[in-house]
Amino acid sequence: MSIFKKFQRLEESGKKLKKEFGAFFNVVLEEIISSTEAVINGKRVILAGTNNYLGLSMDDSCIEAACQALRNEGTGTTGSRMANGTFSGHVKLEKELSSFWNRSHTIVFTTGYGANLAVLSSLAGPGEIVLLDSDCHASIYDGCRMGGADIFRFRHNDVKDLEKRLKRLSERGTNILIAVEGLYSMLGDRAKLEEIAEIKQKYGAYLLIDEAHSLGVLGDNGRGLVEESGVNEQVDFITGTFSKSLGSVGGFCSSNHPEIETLRYASRPYVFTASPSPANIAAARKALDIIIHRPDLRKRLWDNTYSLHERLSALGLSLGPEITPIIPVRYQDPDEALSTWTRLLENGVYVNMVLPPATPDGSAFLRCSLSAAHTARQIEAIAEAFEKAAAAGNLH
Ligand code: PMP
């Protein structure tokens, strides 16, 4: 008998993956040159798959705020929010996020993953229902599982399918929570929030939106899809992360339901983990302030998005359903995605590779995510690398 016997199957598939996709699993950013450039395998490459939408991980004022917090408050909090881990920065950031989202309450968590885990596991328990979009992030699924609610998936962005299920499930006479994302992390499309909010009202359900990829990216003021779609009021819970446009680490939930404060002593992912470090909080606070006061960054991000999208579609590549800063390039089979990914890296461009079963529709794709910090020359270089990779592929 061995406790590791069950690992055998995983090891087998791990070995196969490493053999075929070893280069992909072994990517190390050996030196960070800027938020859009790093050294990988000893070679300088353009980063085109980082979720660093506004380039703020390397912003001077964010770095300075983090350094000051490090000096004044130390390297870590050494405790959970519930015990000795709530510093004044956590409380200030909660107030700032409440005002940003126009909500009465915000809780800051250690990661975005932890925020979804905490919120969903507490909101929906046994006998209650969560209806989630089939493309929702793993943290939303895991939160639902942890809470023990009945989980039902509706087809990705299919409002008719959502309503059909909602109608049937509402006959059970129990609480129903609908979970969607502002921008879906893989295909980069938006939730159909206006229609979803209408249906939610009609059936008396609750609505949670994860704005992880849309904070700072969508809306005139960067307040995500809730702002862009104009249905802010109908959304019960907004969750998100500091690890994308804010360039830091941490997560949050904002809501007008005062009951969410209960999570502070009832939610295990809040109570039983150390709070985000002072440097992470200081960087996130500064970045949020930049999102509010620097709309030019959002404009640059969208200019870059349109120009890369135009270049890639002119190459005849199969792209995602919408034009957003997440641009997936789809391939018929995983081998084609891998060979293109390898050629891109050889040509000095790093993108994410997403393979089944992690892909929403079973296809393989290369996922580009753009940044306000990409220069016009870098955008051109990314497009040229795809062009070269495609040309090399046609020779084989
Ligand atoms: N929600 C979504 C939609 C995400 O894409 C991610 C991160 N990939 C998370 C939550 C988790 O965020 P974090 O990295 O802060 O744990």
Side-chain angles (χ1 to χ4, degrees):
M1 280 227 321
S2 159
I3 203 168
F4 299 115
K5 193 163 190 309
K6 57 187 168 295
F7 284 20
Q8 265 169 14
R9 204 171 51 84
L10 288 175
E11 263 174 37
E12 289 306 312
S13 48
K15 262 187 218 148
K16 188 168 173 288
L17 279 173
K18 271 189 199 139
K19 196 163 158 250
E20 289 172 26
F21 301 110
F24 176 70
F25 288 113
N26 293 328
V27 166
V28 175
L29 275 64
E30 290 145 11
E31 192 189 328
I32 308 297
I33 295 162
S34 71
S35 62
T36 57
E37 266 190 289
V39 174
I40 297 177
N41 298 335
K43 187 180 153 89
R44 203 173 163 131
V45 300
I46 297 169
L47 301 171
T50 59
N51 307 313
N52 204 344
Y53 298 113
L54 302 176
L56 296 182
S57 68
M58 293 294 270
D59 177 87
D60 285 344
S61 56
C62 292
I63 291 171
E64 187 46 40
C67 287
Q68 267 185 35
L70 259 175
R71 277 188 220 100
N72 296 341
E73 299 168 59
T75 49
T77 63
T78 70
S80 113
R81 292 294 311 271
M82 178 68 172
N84 54 301
T86 293
F87 290 14
S88 64
H90 298 99
V91 181
K92 284 180 188 150
L93 181 53
E94 286 176 345
K95 289 210 173 86
E96 287 153 6
L97 282 165
S98 287
S99 135
F100 183 76
W101 295 112
N102 196 18
R103 295 295 190 276
S104 54
H105 295 269
T106 295
I107 303 184
V108 158
F109 298 90
T110 308
T111 58
Y113 180 88
N116 278 335
L117 205 61
V119 172
L120 283 142
S121 65
S122 309
L123 284 178
E128 296 178 303
I129 293 167
V130 183
L131 244 173
L132 44 81
D133 186 290
S134 57
D135 279 11
C136 273
H137 190 256
S139 54
I140 296 178
Y141 278 91
D142 292 355
C144 296
R145 274 198 214 107
M146 190 175 169
D150 293 337
I151 310 171
F152 295 89
R153 305 191 316 168
F154 60 95
R155 275 201 296 276
H156 175 56
N157 250 344
D158 184 337
V159 181
K160 279 210 181 85
D161 191 41
L162 166 64
E163 178 156 23
K164 194 179 83 189
R165 287 165 198 273
L166 197 50
K167 194 169 172 196
R168 188 161 37 81
L169 290 166
S170 62
E171 286 164 11
R172 288 198 191 176
T174 184
N175 294 317
I176 302 181
L177 174 68
I178 302 167
V180 298
E181 290 178 25
L183 268 186
Y184 285 92
S185 55
M186 293 291 155
L187 295 179
D189 48 347
R190 299 159 167 87
K192 296 193 171 124
L193 201 59
E194 279 170 76
E195 293 164 71
I196 293 170
E198 214 179 293
I199 295 175
K200 168 245 163 178
Q201 295 287 91
K202 184 168 159 194
Y203 292 92
Y206 291 85
L207 179 57
L208 177 145
I209 183 166
D210 180 345
E211 296 268 24
H213 292 267
S214 32
L215 160 62
V217 171
L218 297 183
D220 287 345
N221 300 291
R223 297 185 168 95
L225 189 63
V226 290
E227 179 183 23
E228 190 187 72
S229 61
V231 294
N232 202 336
E233 298 305 310
Q234 285 96 302
V235 175
D236 297 280
F237 309 101
I238 302 172
T239 60
T241 173
F242 306 157
S243 70
K244 315 227 180 276
S245 58
L246 295 175
S248 182
V249 177
F252 66 90
C253 174
S254 297
S255 174
N256 277 332
H257 294 286
E259 293 87 347
I260 69 156
E261 285 298 322
T262 312
L263 262 66
R264 295 193 195 271
Y265 47 88
S267 171
R268 298 172 73 87
Y270 179 86
V271 175
F272 294 107
T273 196
S275 59
S277 77
N280 284 136
I281 292 293
R285 289 186 63 205
K286 190 71 209 168
L288 187 65
D289 187 60
I290 293 174
I291 284 179
I292 295 168
H293 294 104
R294 294 274 316 275
D296 55 301
L297 288 180
R298 207 156 25 261
K299 184 174 177 310
R300 280 231 297 274
L301 169 66
W302 282 93
D303 287 349
N304 285 341
T305 297
Y306 290 121
S307 80
L308 184 65
H309 193 279
E310 197 181 310
R311 287 285 274 110
L312 295 185
S313 52
L315 293 177
L317 295 171
S318 166
L319 307 179
E322 287 179 36
I323 306 178
T324 71
I326 298 169
I327 304 183
V329 183
R330 295 159 179 273
Y331 292 90
Q332 296 285 341
D333 70 291
D335 286 345
E336 199 185 349
L338 174 67
S339 56
T340 308
W341 180 86
T342 309
R343 286 188 198 113
L344 287 175
L345 201 57
E346 284 163 7
N347 287 317
V349 172
Y350 171 84
V351 297
N352 307 121
M353 181 164 60
V354 194
L355 301 168
T359 49
D361 53 6
S363 67
F365 58 88
L366 300 182
R367 176 187 179 275
C368 309
S369 65
L370 289 166
S371 173
H374 282 123
T375 61
R377 270 200 53 220
Q378 287 177 325
I379 297 292
E380 189 49 36
I382 297 166
E384 274 170 13
F386 269 100
E387 193 168 12
K388 275 192 204 154
N394 288 337
L395 293 178
H396 292 279

